[in-house]
Amino acid sequence: GLCIGNERVHTIQDRYSLLREHYKDLPKLLAGCSATFPSKKVTKDTVNDNQTVRERARDLREFFAALLVSLHTAKLGRGHDVM
C-alpha cells in the first residue's frame, strides 16, 4: 500500500493478470519513466511457492514505486488521473 507517514492512504490489490492488463503500458505515458511491469514467471509456482510469491510482491512494489518516482520527478499535475 501507499503510506504517508504511518497512515496507509491507498492499497493496490488484484490478481496479477488484471494488474498487468491495467498497468503494464502506464510507463509509456510518463515522460522519462523506464519502469517495466514484472515478468509473468511462467516457469514458477506463483500461488503455492512462498519464495516466488514474495518475489512477485517485491517486483510489483518496485514497479509501482518507480511509477510514483517518475510522476514526482516529471511533476505531472495529472498524475493521479493517469493511474
Side-chain angles (χ1 to χ4, degrees):
L2 177 62
C3 298
I4 297 177
N6 291 329
E7 183 178 350
R8 183 176 292 229
V9 295
H10 186 71
T11 300
I12 297 173
Q13 183 176 345
D14 216 331
R15 295 179 54 86
Y16 171 83
S17 58
L18 292 175
L19 292 173
R20 182 175 174 81
E21 181 181 323
H22 288 101
Y23 295 109
K24 75 174 183 149
D25 293 329
L26 187 57
K28 295 174 188 173
L29 302 174
L30 302 173
C33 182
S34 62
T36 56
F37 198 84
S39 70
K40 292 182 180 181
K41 299 185 185 295
V42 290
T43 60
K44 295 186 177 185
D45 180 353
T46 57
V47 175
N48 300 308
D49 180 10
N50 288 334
Q51 179 62 32
T52 303
V53 170
R54 284 191 300 273
E55 287 174 12
R56 173 164 279 168
R58 183 201 64 226
D59 293 345
L60 287 167
R61 275 192 309 275
E62 290 174 357
F63 171 75
F64 286 110
L67 290 178
L68 289 172
V69 167
S70 291
L71 284 170
H72 177 71
T73 307
K75 298 188 187 311
L76 289 177
R78 57 185 269 276
H80 182 70
D81 296 336
V82 173
M83 291 184 82

Coordinates of all heavy atoms in Angstrom, one line a residue:
G1 N 0.8 -1.2 0.0 CA 0.0 0.0 0.0 C 0.9 1.3 0.0 O 2.1 1.2 0.2
L2 N 0.2 2.3 -0.3 CA 0.9 3.6 -0.3 C 0.6 4.3 1.1 O -0.5 4.4 1.5 CB 0.3 4.5 -1.4 CG 0.8 5.9 -1.5 CD1 2.3 5.9 -1.8 CD2 0.1 6.7 -2.6
C3 N 1.7 4.7 1.7 CA 1.6 5.3 3.0 C 2.2 6.7 3.0 O 3.2 7.0 2.3 CB 2.4 4.5 4.1 SG 1.8 2.8 4.3
I4 N 1.6 7.6 3.8 CA 2.1 8.9 4.1 C 2.4 8.9 5.6 O 1.4 8.8 6.4 CB 1.2 10.0 3.7 CG1 0.9 10.0 2.1 CG2 1.7 11.4 4.1 CD1 0.0 11.0 1.6
G5 N 3.6 8.9 5.9 CA 4.0 8.7 7.3 C 3.6 7.3 7.7 O 3.9 6.3 7.0
N6 N 2.8 7.1 8.8 CA 2.4 5.8 9.2 C 1.0 5.5 8.7 O 0.5 4.4 9.0 CB 2.4 5.7 10.7 CG 3.8 5.7 11.3 OD1 4.7 5.2 10.6 ND2 4.0 6.3 12.5
E7 N 0.4 6.4 8.0 CA -1.0 6.2 7.5 C -1.1 5.6 6.1 O -0.5 6.2 5.2 CB -1.8 7.5 7.6 CG -3.2 7.3 7.2 CD -4.0 8.6 7.3 OE1 -3.4 9.6 7.9 OE2 -5.1 8.7 6.9
R8 N -1.7 4.5 6.0 CA -1.9 3.9 4.6 C -3.1 4.7 4.0 O -4.2 4.8 4.5 CB -2.3 2.4 4.8 CG -2.5 1.8 3.4 CD -2.7 0.3 3.6 NE -1.6 -0.3 4.1 CZ -1.0 -1.4 3.6 NH1 -1.6 -2.0 2.6 NH2 0.1 -1.9 4.2
V9 N -2.7 5.2 2.8 CA -3.7 6.1 2.1 C -4.3 5.4 0.8 O -5.3 5.8 0.3 CB -3.2 7.5 1.7 CG1 -2.9 8.2 3.0 CG2 -1.9 7.3 0.9
H10 N -3.6 4.3 0.4 CA -4.1 3.6 -0.8 C -3.5 2.2 -0.9 O -2.4 2.0 -0.5 CB -3.7 4.4 -2.1 CG -4.3 3.8 -3.3 ND1 -5.6 3.9 -3.7 CD2 -3.7 3.1 -4.4 CE1 -5.8 3.3 -4.8 NE2 -4.7 2.8 -5.3
T11 N -4.3 1.3 -1.3 CA -3.8 -0.1 -1.5 C -4.1 -0.6 -2.9 O -5.3 -0.4 -3.3 CB -4.5 -1.0 -0.4 OG1 -4.2 -0.6 0.9 CG2 -4.0 -2.5 -0.6
I12 N -3.2 -1.2 -3.5 CA -3.4 -1.8 -4.8 C -3.4 -3.3 -4.6 O -2.5 -3.9 -4.1 CB -2.3 -1.4 -5.8 CG1 -2.2 0.1 -6.1 CG2 -2.5 -2.2 -7.1 CD1 -1.0 0.5 -6.9
Q13 N -4.6 -3.9 -4.9 CA -4.8 -5.3 -4.7 C -5.6 -5.9 -5.8 O -6.7 -5.4 -6.0 CB -5.4 -5.5 -3.3 CG -5.6 -6.9 -2.9 CD -6.2 -7.1 -1.5 OE1 -6.2 -6.1 -0.8 NE2 -6.6 -8.2 -1.2
D14 N -5.1 -6.9 -6.5 CA -5.8 -7.6 -7.5 C -5.0 -8.7 -8.0 O -3.9 -8.9 -7.6 CB -6.1 -6.6 -8.7 CG -7.5 -6.8 -9.3 OD1 -8.0 -8.0 -9.3 OD2 -8.0 -5.9 -9.8
R15 N -5.6 -9.5 -8.9 CA -4.9 -10.6 -9.5 C -3.8 -10.0 -10.4 O -3.9 -9.0 -11.0 CB -5.8 -11.5 -10.3 CG -6.9 -12.2 -9.6 CD -7.8 -13.0 -10.5 NE -7.1 -13.9 -11.3 CZ -6.7 -15.1 -11.0 NH1 -7.1 -15.6 -9.8 NH2 -6.0 -15.9 -11.8
Y16 N -2.7 -10.8 -10.5 CA -1.5 -10.3 -11.3 C -2.0 -10.0 -12.7 O -1.6 -9.0 -13.3 CB -0.4 -11.4 -11.3 CG 0.7 -11.1 -12.3 CD1 1.7 -10.3 -12.0 CD2 0.6 -11.7 -13.6 CE1 2.7 -10.0 -12.9 CE2 1.6 -11.4 -14.5 CZ 2.7 -10.6 -14.1 OH 3.6 -10.3 -15.0
S17 N -2.8 -10.9 -13.3 CA -3.2 -10.7 -14.7 C -4.0 -9.4 -14.9 O -3.8 -8.7 -15.9 CB -4.0 -11.9 -15.2 OG -5.2 -12.1 -14.3
L18 N -4.8 -9.0 -13.9 CA -5.6 -7.8 -14.0 C -4.7 -6.6 -13.8 O -4.8 -5.5 -14.5 CB -6.7 -7.8 -13.0 CG -7.8 -8.8 -13.3 CD1 -8.9 -8.8 -12.2 CD2 -8.5 -8.5 -14.7
L19 N -3.7 -6.7 -12.9 CA -2.8 -5.6 -12.7 C -1.9 -5.4 -14.0 O -1.7 -4.2 -14.4 CB -1.8 -5.9 -11.5 CG -2.5 -5.9 -10.1 CD1 -1.5 -6.4 -9.1 CD2 -3.0 -4.5 -9.8
R20 N -1.5 -6.5 -14.5 CA -0.7 -6.4 -15.8 C -1.6 -5.7 -16.9 O -1.1 -4.9 -17.6 CB -0.3 -7.8 -16.2 CG 0.5 -7.8 -17.5 CD 1.0 -9.2 -17.8 NE 1.7 -9.3 -19.0 CZ 3.0 -8.9 -19.2 NH1 3.7 -8.5 -18.2 NH2 3.5 -9.0 -20.4
E21 N -2.8 -6.1 -17.0 CA -3.7 -5.6 -18.0 C -3.9 -4.1 -17.9 O -3.9 -3.3 -18.8 CB -5.1 -6.3 -18.0 CG -6.1 -5.8 -19.0 CD -7.4 -6.5 -18.8 OE1 -7.4 -7.8 -18.5 OE2 -8.4 -5.9 -19.0
H22 N -4.0 -3.6 -16.6 CA -4.3 -2.2 -16.4 C -3.1 -1.3 -16.3 O -3.2 -0.1 -16.6 CB -5.1 -2.1 -15.0 CG -6.5 -2.5 -15.1 ND1 -6.9 -3.8 -14.7 CD2 -7.6 -2.0 -15.6 CE1 -8.2 -3.9 -14.9 NE2 -8.6 -2.8 -15.5
Y23 N -1.9 -1.9 -15.9 CA -0.8 -1.0 -15.6 C 0.5 -1.2 -16.5 O 1.4 -0.4 -16.4 CB -0.4 -1.1 -14.1 CG -1.4 -0.7 -13.2 CD1 -2.2 -1.6 -12.4 CD2 -1.7 0.7 -13.1 CE1 -3.2 -1.1 -11.6 CE2 -2.7 1.1 -12.2 CZ -3.4 0.2 -11.5 OH -4.4 0.7 -10.6
K24 N 0.5 -2.3 -17.3 CA 1.8 -2.6 -18.0 C 2.2 -1.5 -18.9 O 3.4 -1.2 -19.2 CB 1.8 -3.9 -18.6 CG 1.0 -4.0 -19.9 CD 1.1 -5.3 -20.6 CE 0.3 -5.3 -21.9 NZ 0.8 -6.1 -22.9
D25 N 1.3 -0.8 -19.5 CA 1.6 0.3 -20.5 C 1.7 1.7 -19.9 O 2.0 2.6 -20.6 CB 0.5 0.3 -21.6 CG 0.6 -1.0 -22.5 OD1 1.7 -1.5 -22.6 OD2 -0.4 -1.4 -23.0
L26 N 1.4 1.8 -18.6 CA 1.4 3.1 -18.0 C 2.8 3.8 -18.1 O 2.8 5.0 -18.3 CB 1.0 2.9 -16.5 CG 0.8 4.2 -15.7 CD1 -0.2 5.1 -16.4 CD2 0.4 3.9 -14.3
P27 N 3.9 3.1 -18.0 CA 5.2 3.8 -18.1 C 5.4 4.6 -19.4 O 6.0 5.6 -19.4 CB 6.3 2.7 -17.9 CG 5.6 1.7 -17.1 CD 4.1 1.7 -17.6
K28 N 4.8 4.1 -20.5 CA 4.9 4.7 -21.8 C 4.2 6.1 -21.7 O 4.5 7.0 -22.6 CB 4.2 3.9 -22.8 CG 4.9 2.6 -23.1 CD 4.1 1.7 -24.1 CE 4.7 0.3 -24.1 NZ 3.9 -0.6 -25.0
L29 N 3.3 6.3 -20.8 CA 2.5 7.6 -20.7 C 3.3 8.6 -19.9 O 2.9 9.8 -19.9 CB 1.1 7.4 -20.1 CG 0.2 6.4 -20.9 CD1 -1.0 6.2 -20.1 CD2 0.0 6.9 -22.3
L30 N 4.3 8.1 -19.2 CA 5.1 9.0 -18.3 C 6.4 9.4 -18.9 O 7.3 8.5 -19.0 CB 5.2 8.3 -16.9 CG 4.0 7.9 -16.2 CD1 4.3 7.1 -15.0 CD2 3.1 9.1 -15.9
A31 N 6.6 10.6 -19.2 CA 7.9 11.0 -19.8 C 9.1 10.6 -18.9 O 9.1 10.9 -17.7 CB 7.9 12.5 -20.0
G32 N 10.0 9.9 -19.5 CA 11.2 9.5 -18.8 C 11.1 8.3 -17.9 O 12.1 7.9 -17.2
C33 N 10.0 7.7 -17.9 CA 9.8 6.5 -17.0 C 10.3 5.3 -17.6 O 9.9 4.9 -18.7 CB 8.3 6.3 -16.6 SG 8.0 4.9 -15.5
S34 N 11.2 4.6 -17.0 CA 11.8 3.4 -17.5 C 11.4 2.1 -16.8 O 11.9 1.0 -17.1 CB 13.4 3.5 -17.4 OG 13.8 3.6 -16.1
A35 N 10.3 2.2 -16.0 CA 9.8 1.1 -15.3 C 9.2 0.1 -16.3 O 8.6 0.5 -17.3 CB 8.8 1.5 -14.3
T36 N 9.4 -1.2 -16.0 CA 8.7 -2.2 -16.8 C 7.9 -3.1 -15.8 O 8.4 -3.4 -14.7 CB 9.7 -3.1 -17.5 OG1 10.7 -3.6 -16.6 CG2 10.5 -2.3 -18.6
F37 N 6.8 -3.5 -16.3 CA 5.9 -4.4 -15.5 C 6.6 -5.7 -15.2 O 7.2 -6.3 -16.2 CB 4.6 -4.6 -16.1 CG 3.5 -5.1 -15.2 CD1 2.8 -4.2 -14.4 CD2 3.3 -6.4 -15.0 CE1 1.9 -4.6 -13.5 CE2 2.3 -6.9 -14.1 CZ 1.6 -6.0 -13.3
P38 N 6.6 -6.3 -14.0 CA 7.3 -7.5 -13.7 C 6.8 -8.7 -14.6 O 5.7 -8.7 -15.1 CB 6.9 -7.8 -12.3 CG 6.4 -6.5 -11.7 CD 5.9 -5.7 -12.9
S39 N 7.8 -9.6 -14.9 CA 7.5 -10.7 -15.8 C 6.5 -11.7 -15.2 O 6.2 -11.6 -14.0 CB 8.8 -11.5 -16.0 OG 9.2 -12.1 -14.9
K40 N 6.0 -12.5 -16.0 CA 4.9 -13.5 -15.6 C 5.5 -14.6 -14.7 O 4.7 -15.3 -14.0 CB 4.3 -14.1 -16.8 CG 3.4 -13.1 -17.6 CD 2.7 -13.8 -18.8 CE 1.9 -12.8 -19.5 NZ 1.2 -13.4 -20.6
K41 N 6.8 -14.9 -14.8 CA 7.4 -16.0 -14.1 C 6.6 -17.3 -14.4 O 6.2 -18.1 -13.5 CB 7.3 -15.8 -12.6 CG 8.1 -14.6 -12.1 CD 8.1 -14.5 -10.6 CE 8.8 -13.2 -10.1 NZ 10.2 -13.1 -10.4
V42 N 6.5 -17.6 -15.7 CA 5.7 -18.7 -16.2 C 6.2 -20.1 -15.7 O 5.5 -21.1 -15.6 CB 5.5 -18.7 -17.7 CG1 4.6 -17.6 -18.1 CG2 6.8 -18.7 -18.4
T43 N 7.5 -20.2 -15.4 CA 8.1 -21.5 -15.0 C 8.0 -21.7 -13.5 O 8.5 -22.7 -13.0 CB 9.6 -21.6 -15.5 OG1 10.3 -20.5 -14.9 CG2 9.7 -21.5 -17.0
K44 N 7.5 -20.7 -12.8 CA 7.4 -20.8 -11.3 C 6.0 -20.9 -10.8 O 5.1 -20.4 -11.4 CB 8.2 -19.7 -10.7 CG 9.6 -19.6 -11.0 CD 10.3 -18.5 -10.3 CE 11.8 -18.5 -10.5 NZ 12.5 -17.5 -9.7
D45 N 5.8 -21.5 -9.7 CA 4.5 -21.6 -9.0 C 4.3 -20.3 -8.2 O 4.9 -20.1 -7.2 CB 4.5 -22.8 -8.0 CG 3.2 -23.0 -7.3 OD1 2.3 -22.1 -7.5 OD2 3.0 -24.0 -6.6
T46 N 3.5 -19.5 -8.8 CA 3.2 -18.1 -8.2 C 2.1 -18.1 -7.2 O 1.6 -17.1 -6.8 CB 3.0 -17.1 -9.3 OG1 1.9 -17.5 -10.1 CG2 4.2 -16.9 -10.2
V47 N 1.6 -19.3 -6.9 CA 0.5 -19.4 -5.9 C 0.9 -20.1 -4.6 O 0.7 -19.6 -3.6 CB -0.7 -20.1 -6.6 CG1 -1.8 -20.4 -5.5 CG2 -1.2 -19.4 -7.8
N48 N 1.6 -21.2 -4.8 CA 1.9 -22.0 -3.6 C 3.3 -21.9 -3.1 O 3.6 -22.2 -2.0 CB 1.6 -23.5 -3.9 CG 0.2 -23.7 -4.2 OD1 -0.7 -23.3 -3.5 ND2 -0.1 -24.3 -5.4
D49 N 4.3 -21.4 -3.9 CA 5.7 -21.3 -3.6 C 5.9 -19.9 -2.9 O 5.8 -18.9 -3.5 CB 6.6 -21.4 -4.8 CG 8.0 -21.3 -4.4 OD1 8.4 -21.3 -3.3 OD2 8.8 -21.2 -5.4
N50 N 6.0 -20.0 -1.6 CA 6.1 -18.7 -0.8 C 7.2 -17.8 -1.3 O 7.1 -16.6 -1.3 CB 6.3 -19.0 0.7 CG 5.0 -19.5 1.3 OD1 3.9 -19.2 0.8 ND2 5.1 -20.3 2.4
Q51 N 8.4 -18.4 -1.6 CA 9.5 -17.5 -2.1 C 9.1 -16.8 -3.4 O 9.4 -15.6 -3.5 CB 10.7 -18.4 -2.3 CG 11.9 -17.7 -2.9 CD 12.4 -16.6 -1.9 OE1 12.3 -16.7 -0.7 NE2 13.0 -15.5 -2.4
T52 N 8.5 -17.5 -4.3 CA 8.1 -16.9 -5.6 C 7.0 -15.8 -5.3 O 7.0 -14.7 -6.0 CB 7.5 -17.9 -6.6 OG1 8.6 -18.9 -6.8 CG2 7.2 -17.3 -7.9
V53 N 6.1 -16.1 -4.4 CA 5.0 -15.1 -4.1 C 5.7 -13.8 -3.5 O 5.3 -12.7 -3.9 CB 4.0 -15.7 -3.1 CG1 3.1 -14.7 -2.5 CG2 3.3 -16.8 -3.7
R54 N 6.7 -14.0 -2.6 CA 7.4 -12.8 -2.1 C 8.1 -12.1 -3.1 O 8.2 -10.8 -3.1 CB 8.3 -13.3 -0.9 CG 7.6 -13.6 0.4 CD 8.6 -13.8 1.5 NE 9.5 -14.8 1.3 CZ 9.4 -16.1 1.6 NH1 8.2 -16.5 2.2 NH2 10.3 -17.0 1.4
E55 N 8.8 -12.8 -4.1 CA 9.5 -12.2 -5.2 C 8.5 -11.3 -6.0 O 8.8 -10.2 -6.4 CB 10.2 -13.2 -6.1 CG 11.4 -13.8 -5.4 CD 12.0 -15.0 -6.3 OE1 11.5 -15.1 -7.5 OE2 12.8 -15.7 -5.8
R56 N 7.4 -11.9 -6.4 CA 6.4 -11.2 -7.2 C 5.9 -9.9 -6.5 O 5.8 -8.9 -7.1 CB 5.2 -12.1 -7.6 CG 4.1 -11.3 -8.3 CD 3.1 -12.1 -9.0 NE 3.7 -12.5 -10.3 CZ 3.1 -13.4 -11.0 NH1 2.1 -14.0 -10.6 NH2 3.7 -13.7 -12.2
A57 N 5.6 -10.1 -5.2 CA 5.2 -8.9 -4.4 C 6.2 -7.8 -4.4 O 5.9 -6.6 -4.6 CB 4.8 -9.3 -3.0
R58 N 7.5 -8.2 -4.2 CA 8.6 -7.2 -4.2 C 8.7 -6.6 -5.6 O 8.8 -5.4 -5.7 CB 9.9 -7.9 -3.9 CG 11.1 -7.0 -3.8 CD 12.4 -7.6 -4.0 NE 12.5 -8.2 -5.3 CZ 13.0 -9.4 -5.5 NH1 13.4 -10.2 -4.6 NH2 13.0 -9.9 -6.8
D59 N 8.6 -7.4 -6.7 CA 8.7 -6.8 -8.0 C 7.6 -5.8 -8.3 O 7.8 -4.8 -8.9 CB 8.7 -7.9 -9.0 CG 9.9 -8.8 -9.0 OD1 10.9 -8.5 -8.4 OD2 9.8 -9.9 -9.6
L60 N 6.4 -6.1 -7.8 CA 5.2 -5.2 -8.0 C 5.4 -4.0 -7.2 O 5.2 -2.9 -7.7 CB 3.9 -5.9 -7.7 CG 3.5 -7.0 -8.7 CD1 2.3 -7.8 -8.1 CD2 3.0 -6.3 -10.0
R61 N 5.9 -4.1 -6.0 CA 6.2 -2.9 -5.2 C 7.2 -2.0 -5.9 O 7.0 -0.8 -5.9 CB 6.7 -3.3 -3.8 CG 5.6 -3.6 -2.8 CD 6.1 -3.6 -1.4 NE 7.3 -4.5 -1.2 CZ 7.3 -5.8 -1.0 NH1 6.1 -6.4 -0.9 NH2 8.4 -6.5 -0.9
E62 N 8.2 -2.6 -6.4 CA 9.3 -1.8 -7.1 C 8.7 -1.1 -8.3 O 9.1 0.0 -8.6 CB 10.5 -2.7 -7.4 CG 11.3 -3.1 -6.2 CD 12.4 -4.1 -6.5 OE1 12.5 -4.6 -7.6 OE2 13.1 -4.5 -5.5
F63 N 7.9 -1.8 -9.1 CA 7.3 -1.2 -10.2 C 6.5 0.0 -9.9 O 6.6 1.1 -10.5 CB 6.4 -2.3 -11.0 CG 5.6 -1.7 -12.1 CD1 6.2 -1.4 -13.3 CD2 4.2 -1.5 -11.9 CE1 5.4 -0.9 -14.3 CE2 3.5 -1.0 -13.0 CZ 4.1 -0.7 -14.2
F64 N 5.5 -0.2 -8.9 CA 4.7 1.0 -8.6 C 5.5 2.1 -7.9 O 5.2 3.3 -8.1 CB 3.5 0.5 -7.7 CG 2.5 -0.3 -8.5 CD1 2.3 -1.6 -8.3 CD2 1.7 0.4 -9.4 CE1 1.4 -2.3 -9.0 CE2 0.7 -0.3 -10.2 CZ 0.6 -1.7 -10.0
A65 N 6.5 1.8 -7.2 CA 7.4 2.8 -6.6 C 8.1 3.6 -7.7 O 8.2 4.8 -7.7 CB 8.4 2.2 -5.7
A66 N 8.5 2.9 -8.7 CA 9.2 3.6 -9.9 C 8.2 4.5 -10.6 O 8.6 5.6 -11.0 CB 9.8 2.5 -10.9
L67 N 6.9 4.1 -10.7 CA 5.9 5.0 -11.3 C 5.7 6.2 -10.5 O 5.7 7.3 -11.0 CB 4.6 4.2 -11.4 CG 4.5 3.1 -12.4 CD1 3.1 2.5 -12.4 CD2 4.8 3.5 -13.8
L68 N 5.7 6.1 -9.2 CA 5.5 7.2 -8.3 C 6.7 8.2 -8.4 O 6.5 9.4 -8.4 CB 5.3 6.8 -6.8 CG 3.9 6.2 -6.6 CD1 3.9 5.6 -5.1 CD2 2.8 7.1 -6.8
V69 N 7.9 7.6 -8.4 CA 9.1 8.5 -8.6 C 9.0 9.2 -9.9 O 9.3 10.4 -10.0 CB 10.4 7.6 -8.5 CG1 11.6 8.4 -8.9 CG2 10.5 7.1 -7.0
S70 N 8.6 8.5 -11.0 CA 8.5 9.2 -12.3 C 7.5 10.3 -12.3 O 7.7 11.4 -12.8 CB 8.2 8.2 -13.4 OG 9.2 7.3 -13.6
L71 N 6.4 10.0 -11.6 CA 5.3 11.1 -11.5 C 5.9 12.3 -10.8 O 5.7 13.4 -11.2 CB 4.1 10.5 -10.8 CG 3.2 9.6 -11.6 CD1 2.2 9.0 -10.7 CD2 2.5 10.4 -12.7
H72 N 6.6 12.0 -9.7 CA 7.1 13.1 -8.9 C 8.2 13.9 -9.6 O 8.2 15.1 -9.6 CB 7.7 12.6 -7.6 CG 8.3 13.6 -6.7 ND1 7.6 14.6 -6.1 CD2 9.6 13.9 -6.4 CE1 8.4 15.4 -5.4 NE2 9.6 15.0 -5.6
T73 N 9.1 13.2 -10.3 CA 10.2 13.8 -11.0 C 9.7 14.6 -12.2 O 10.1 15.7 -12.4 CB 11.1 12.7 -11.5 OG1 11.5 11.9 -10.4 CG2 12.4 13.3 -12.1
A74 N 8.7 14.1 -12.9 CA 8.1 14.8 -14.0 C 7.2 15.9 -13.6 O 6.8 16.8 -14.4 CB 7.4 13.8 -14.9
K75 N 6.8 15.9 -12.3 CA 5.9 16.9 -11.8 C 4.6 17.0 -12.6 O 4.2 18.1 -13.0 CB 6.6 18.3 -11.7 CG 7.7 18.3 -10.7 CD 8.2 19.7 -10.5 CE 9.5 19.7 -9.7 NZ 9.6 19.0 -8.5
L76 N 4.0 15.8 -12.9 CA 2.8 15.8 -13.7 C 1.6 16.2 -12.8 O 1.3 15.5 -11.8 CB 2.6 14.4 -14.3 CG 3.5 14.0 -15.4 CD1 3.1 12.5 -15.8 CD2 3.3 14.9 -16.6
G77 N 0.9 17.2 -13.1 CA -0.2 17.6 -12.3 C -1.4 16.6 -12.5 O -2.2 16.5 -11.6
R78 N -1.4 15.9 -13.6 CA -2.5 15.0 -13.9 C -2.1 13.5 -13.5 O -2.8 12.6 -13.9 CB -2.9 15.1 -15.3 CG -1.8 14.8 -16.3 CD -2.2 15.0 -17.7 NE -2.7 13.8 -18.4 CZ -2.0 12.9 -18.9 NH1 -0.6 13.0 -18.9 NH2 -2.5 11.8 -19.5
G79 N -1.0 13.3 -12.8 CA -0.6 12.0 -12.4 C -1.6 11.1 -11.8 O -1.8 10.0 -12.1
H80 N -2.4 11.7 -10.9 CA -3.5 10.9 -10.2 C -4.5 10.4 -11.3 O -5.0 9.3 -11.2 CB -4.2 11.6 -9.1 CG -5.2 10.9 -8.4 ND1 -4.8 9.8 -7.6 CD2 -6.5 10.9 -8.4 CE1 -5.9 9.3 -7.1 NE2 -7.0 10.0 -7.6
D81 N -4.8 11.2 -12.3 CA -5.8 10.9 -13.3 C -5.2 9.7 -14.2 O -6.0 8.9 -14.6 CB -6.1 12.1 -14.2 CG -6.7 13.2 -13.4 OD1 -7.4 12.9 -12.4 OD2 -6.7 14.4 -13.9
V82 N -3.9 9.7 -14.4 CA -3.4 8.6 -15.2 C -3.5 7.3 -14.5 O -3.9 6.3 -15.1 CB -1.9 8.9 -15.5 CG1 -1.2 7.8 -16.2 CG2 -1.7 10.2 -16.3
M83 N -3.3 7.2 -13.2 CA -3.3 6.0 -12.5 C -4.8 5.7 -12.2 O -5.2 4.6 -12.0 CB -2.5 6.0 -11.3 CG -1.0 6.0 -11.6 SD 0.0 5.9 -10.1 CE 0.0 4.2 -9.8

